[in-house]
């Protein structure tokens, strides 16, 4: 049985995503396709433009058989944490045979060798890394330079190829492969070349515009252009959600909620939070008072090392109070459950197999998530505390996300307990 | 030397306030008049409509010589805490001879006898109170019934007069007198009958409209009516502040800041906060998810016992994380400093006397507040930790308040360290 796993955000689902699904299927010829998708907040540290339920619905309408939610604690982390969570989820549900991800270089040897070094941490590599860090380089830069030096010393790879790690998508690729190694997973991986606009390309590029560009079009209500950039069914669901007042949600909507909270946080409060290193706690405390808005605040914090994305993630983690020790456990233990967001008839069949093979509990009815823990079947090993807190954060993230819906009536919380899993009778792919 | 002390909010300063100042002066014939005024948030648990600096400025323009800020921790408490802080401040600055406050009944004997019972807590009164509480009455109601029963048993007062305690202003009056007893202060008190509209009267009543009604007029930009209800100088300053984008600030502006914060707080978090009694923690946790807005939330929480005002105060305290143990110390120790907001030439002279007589440090330059603690002169006894935290909260309250200014450029924080004490050369009274 071939089961294809993909890792996505679909914020929102566009033509490039459809191309990716089709290419991946051509490569693997799967019996089933399962997607792990970010929930209410994304890896950029931003709220998703429309809710996770509708994004999952769109995914199933375009060829995914089953959509699982990547827990908030992984979805909003850097490449390492994001990959550890998403690959972990695909691994632990026990059915995925192949993962396909986009890669700038599509240089398989480079991905594998680099991932292996990062996974195995050879003594000589660690030594070089240590020297680089002592020289005052940031961790990502020290790592890159150490990798470069190590591969040229050891004659493993052409150092030129290691430079590829700078490209964001290849960093993620390396981390996916590294996570496969870390879980000791037998999942095969494949890469496909990305087509169309760059991730961060902000401008409309016709049919193959980036998600960033499309979000901007949605903000500006350029529906004619949005229609060009996303498949028809995606367009319809986006319009439906927005016309009913469930979105669009933007990072800037968080302005006063973030600022009023952060103005009350002290250096010690920030320093407890995951990701706060080297004096950033004091900078947050100081600059939040000097800033007149969230935009002003992040611009004051921005440095070469602390990019906008990284800072947005840190702010999100500070707002949700994700402490260092908790995130340490998150990043040691991996996902503790598979939350089902949407599926079709084919997905239903896959779920039957998953029920037997999954190493983690499947959650399709959130109100039963505590009961699931009590009735845990043999062979499943769950860290109960982590399971409960991790799932709670998914629901809290959705509760906070909903507050920024345009229509007040839509802002009621506990959406995870009110929205049903979306079953889509017929998709098209 | 006669020094008149008054306790005010001036949110905003209106004709009734001017009448109050004039009547109080006629009664006492003071050499100096000092006002203790709420800062960025008021006793109703709301943000002040314009900032504390401008409200202090208006006060000095209308016959107050010196305006001191009532620390946030007292300004936003129920009658007991509010009185303990404001009377404590007037007592500790060492110069006030007389306090004048408004009273519905102006029944001096009632105020004194009731305050004395509450202060002395006679054994028989405690016994009756205990029985009432066991019967399931709320504390304020049990107290009222116990007082009634006690005074009729002991033949101290006509029980009919005790019923006056229900009127909000007399509750405050009793608490002022009780605080005078508690501090063992030699300050004399006087009452004046309130004139014009009731505190909570929401409608425009011409020249003597309530502050509530005037805030509503400001919200609706009914400047013609505002002009009728407040003295000209007050009107000018209110217009100036609002035209420069510093306000008006309303409780509803806090909607998303509050809701997003409270959705992340758990029962245990609420139960730590001052004022959270008997299952209210669980109700907050549950209802914040069921509500679509702050207004919806407070309406769901509202009961006969938990009034809107009380709930708004609790929300404010939850947002600022005012823990029970901390507030216990606040309400045991009293104000630790006198923060000067505005004064005139006469006030400057009074300050010279205060510098010799005050039992607490005077803060006129907030950036020096830590240094003041180091250079504490003999005879001043300050709880350093409480002093620092209490003052920090005043500045944080102002930093949060400023975020809700209409003009983004005005939202920069640290206003307490940027705004200078307002010296008003000539007022009019």
């Amino acid at each position: 049985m071939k089961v294809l796993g993909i890792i996505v955000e679909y914020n929102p689902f566009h033509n490039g995503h459809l191309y990716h699904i089709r290419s991946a299927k051509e490569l693997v010829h799967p019996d089933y396709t399962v997607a792990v998708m970010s929930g209410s907040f994304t890896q950029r540290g931003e709220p998703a433009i429309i809710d996770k339920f509708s994004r999952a619905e769109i995914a199933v309408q375009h060829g995914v058989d089953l959509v699982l939610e990547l827990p908030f604690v992984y979805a909003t982390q850097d490449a390492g944490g994001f990959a550890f969570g998403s690959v972990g989820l695909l691994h632990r549900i026990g059915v995925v045979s192949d993962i396909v991800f986009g890669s700038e270089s599509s240089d398989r040897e480079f991905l594998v060798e680099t991932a292996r070094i990062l996974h195995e941490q050879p003594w000589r590599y660690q030594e070089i890394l240590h020297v680089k860090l002592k020289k005052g380089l940031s961790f990502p830069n020290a790592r890159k330079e150490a990798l470069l030096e190590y591969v040229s010393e050891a004659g493993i790879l052409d150092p030129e190829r290691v430079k590829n790690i700078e490209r964001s998508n290849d960093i993620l690729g390396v981390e996916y492969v590294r996570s496969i190694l870390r879980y000791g997973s037998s999942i095969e991986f494949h890469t496909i070349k990305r087509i169309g606009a760059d991730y961060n390309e902000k401008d409309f590029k016709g049919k193959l515009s980036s998600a960033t560009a499309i979000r901007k079009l949605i903000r500006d209500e350029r529906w004619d252009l949005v229609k060009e950039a996303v498949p028809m069914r995606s367009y319809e669901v986006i319009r439906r959600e927005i016309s009913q007042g469930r979105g669009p949600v933007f990072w800037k909507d968080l302005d006063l909620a973030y600022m009023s909270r952060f103005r009350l946080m002290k250096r010690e409060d920030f320093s407890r939070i995951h990701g706060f290193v080297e004096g950033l706690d004091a900078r947050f405390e100081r600059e939040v008072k000097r800033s007149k808005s969230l935009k002003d605040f992040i611009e004051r914090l921005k440095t070469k090392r602390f990019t906008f994305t990284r800072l947005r993630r840190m702010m999100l983690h500070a707002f949700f109070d994700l402490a260092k020790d908790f995130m340490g456990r998150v990043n040691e233990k991996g996902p503790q459950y598979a939350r089902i967001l949407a599926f079709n008839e084919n997905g239903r069949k896959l779920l039957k197999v998953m029920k037997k093979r999954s190493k983690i509990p499947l959650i399709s009815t959130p109100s039963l998530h505590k009961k699931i823990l009590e009735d845990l079947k043999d062979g499943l090993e769950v860290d109960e505390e982590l399971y409960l807190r991790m799932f709670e954060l998914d629901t809290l993230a959705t509760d906070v996300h909903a507050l920024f819906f345009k229509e007040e009536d839509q802002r009621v919380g506990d959406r995870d307990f009110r929205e049903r899993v979306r079953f889509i009778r017929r998709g098209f792919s």
Side-chain angles (χ1 to χ4, degrees), chain A:
Chain A
M1 188 176 84
K2 279 271 188 193
V3 179
L4 166 64
I6 55 177
I7 298 161
V8 302
E9 298 212 294
Y10 293 162
N11 186 36
F13 189 93
H14 58 56
N15 294 331
H17 294 129
L18 183 57
Y19 167 84
H20 175 95
I21 293 177
R22 288 177 175 165
S23 311
K25 285 189 172 183
E26 273 169 32
L27 210 61
V28 174
H29 295 290
D31 302 294
Y32 305 97
T33 300
V34 51
V36 165
M37 190 188 80
S38 306
S40 301
F41 289 82
T42 69
Q43 219 224 329
R44 294 165 59 99
E46 294 179 343
I49 193 156
I50 56 170
D51 81 9
K52 61 189 184 187
F53 307 103
S54 315
R55 281 159 41 240
E57 177 185 343
I58 298 171
V60 176
Q61 283 171 336
H62 291 90
V64 175
D65 298 311
L66 171 67
V67 182
L68 305 175
E69 178 174 354
L70 179 58
F72 175 75
V73 290
Y74 300 110
T76 62
Q77 273 196 73
D78 62 13
F82 184 88
F84 183 64
S86 49
V87 169
L89 199 46
L90 290 174
H91 169 65
R92 288 187 173 165
I93 55 174
V95 293
V96 175
S97 58
D98 300 80
I99 292 179
V100 175
F101 53 81
S103 163
E104 237 90 340
S105 66
S106 280
D107 180 341
R108 199 182 163 84
E109 193 190 356
F110 153 71
L111 292 171
V112 171
E113 290 304 329
T114 311
R116 199 184 302 277
I117 295 163
L118 294 178
H119 177 63
E120 291 170 359
Q121 301 268 317
W123 175 85
R124 178 63 190 142
Y125 164 74
Q126 285 187 54
E127 200 175 49
I128 303 171
L129 180 66
H130 186 70
V131 173
K132 301 288 178 193
L133 285 169
K134 280 196 92 173
K135 271 173 60 186
L137 289 181
S138 71
F139 190 82
N141 283 331
R143 192 168 82 164
K144 195 177 66 190
E145 289 203 9
L147 273 170
L148 264 164
E149 210 167 301
Y150 179 75
V151 295
S152 45
E153 253 189 47
I156 297 171
L157 277 173
D158 176 1
E160 278 309 303
R161 286 157 80 181
V162 179
K163 288 185 180 160
N164 284 331
I165 201 171
E166 276 184 88
R167 299 189 198 158
S168 65
N169 227 31
D170 273 357
I171 293 178
L172 209 45
V174 168
E175 293 292 351
Y176 287 146
V177 180
R178 185 186 178 192
S179 291
I180 292 174
L181 296 171
R182 206 171 149 191
Y183 285 101
S185 179
S186 60
I187 295 177
E188 277 287 322
F189 81 89
H190 318 264
T191 62
I192 45 181
K193 280 245 182 207
R194 290 174 53 82
I195 56 152
D198 190 283
Y199 254 139
N200 296 309
E201 172 63 58
K202 289 194 180 91
D203 297 326
F204 177 67
K205 299 279 174 192
K207 284 196 182 311
L208 290 173
S209 299
S210 71
T212 304
I214 296 167
R215 288 194 298 274
K216 221 171 118 199
L217 295 176
I218 293 173
R219 186 197 63 197
D220 300 337
E221 301 184 65
R222 293 299 311 269
W223 297 115
D224 51 333
L225 300 183
V226 174
K227 203 167 189 172
E228 235 183 284
V230 310
M232 185 50 65
R233 303 289 278 272
S234 175
Y235 178 78
E236 284 166 4
V237 175
I238 295 169
R239 289 298 304 254
R240 179 194 75 204
E241 290 302 300
I242 291 173
S243 75
Q244 291 178 16
R246 288 188 297 274
V249 183
F250 299 100
W251 183 73
K252 278 186 195 157
D253 297 339
L254 301 167
D255 190 335
L256 294 176
Y258 268 18
M259 291 296 284
S260 62
R261 172 86 189 256
F262 296 155
R263 282 214 176 148
L264 295 178
M265 284 177 72
K266 298 162 74 136
R267 185 181 174 165
E268 309 86 81
D269 301 318
F270 287 117
S271 74
R272 287 180 49 250
I273 303 297
H274 176 69
F276 277 80
V277 292
E278 300 161 36
L280 211 59
D281 46 1
R283 285 189 61 216
F284 263 65
E285 187 190 40
R286 190 178 62 238
E287 299 301 338
V288 74
K289 297 206 167 130
R290 294 187 181 165
S291 306
K292 62 185 183 181
S293 66
L294 184 57
K295 184 168 173 284
D296 187 16
F297 182 37
I298 201 165
E299 279 166 2
R300 284 163 184 272
L301 293 171
K302 164 87 167 63
T303 61
K304 205 172 164 189
R305 178 162 172 207
F306 293 101
T307 59
F308 285 127
T309 294
R310 192 165 168 194
L311 290 166
R312 277 192 305 259
R313 283 199 291 256
M314 294 177 79
M315 289 179 186
L316 185 62
H317 293 165
F319 197 75
F320 279 82
D321 196 29
L322 302 189
K324 285 182 167 125
D325 53 346
F326 169 68
M327 290 301 277
R329 282 173 53 219
V330 162
N331 288 335
E332 182 200 325
K333 303 254 180 171
Q336 300 295 307
Y337 54 84
R339 162 78 191 277
I340 297 149
L341 289 178
F343 57 89
N344 58 15
E345 195 51 52
N346 212 29
R348 193 203 297 276
K349 288 180 203 146
L350 180 62
L351 277 168
K352 279 196 188 143
V353 188
M354 272 169 63
K355 269 178 199 145
K356 290 182 203 128
R357 297 210 205 151
S358 180
K359 295 175 210 113
I360 47 179
L362 311 182
I363 302 179
S364 54
T365 310
S367 56
L368 299 179
H369 77 283
K370 282 182 188 159
K371 195 168 171 349
I372 288 167
L373 211 52
E374 288 159 22
D375 306 343
L376 221 55
K377 68 169 203 209
D378 290 346
L380 297 199
E381 265 183 47
V382 169
D383 178 325
E384 296 201 4
E385 204 188 315
L386 202 55
Y387 169 102
L388 289 172
R389 177 72 181 141
M390 206 182 267
F391 186 72
E392 182 183 53
L393 280 164
D394 291 351
T395 66
L396 291 176
T398 300
D399 283 347
V400 167
H401 183 267
L403 282 174
F404 299 94
F405 283 165
K406 297 289 178 270
E407 183 60 54
E408 199 176 270
D409 287 340
Q410 300 288 352
R411 294 180 188 163
V412 180
D414 274 343
R415 303 193 81 228
D416 275 291
F417 302 97
R418 291 185 294 109
E419 286 286 326
R420 301 181 59 175
V421 173
R422 307 248 165 136
F423 174 69
I424 281 77
R425 211 158 291 276
R426 266 190 74 85
F428 102 119
S429 77

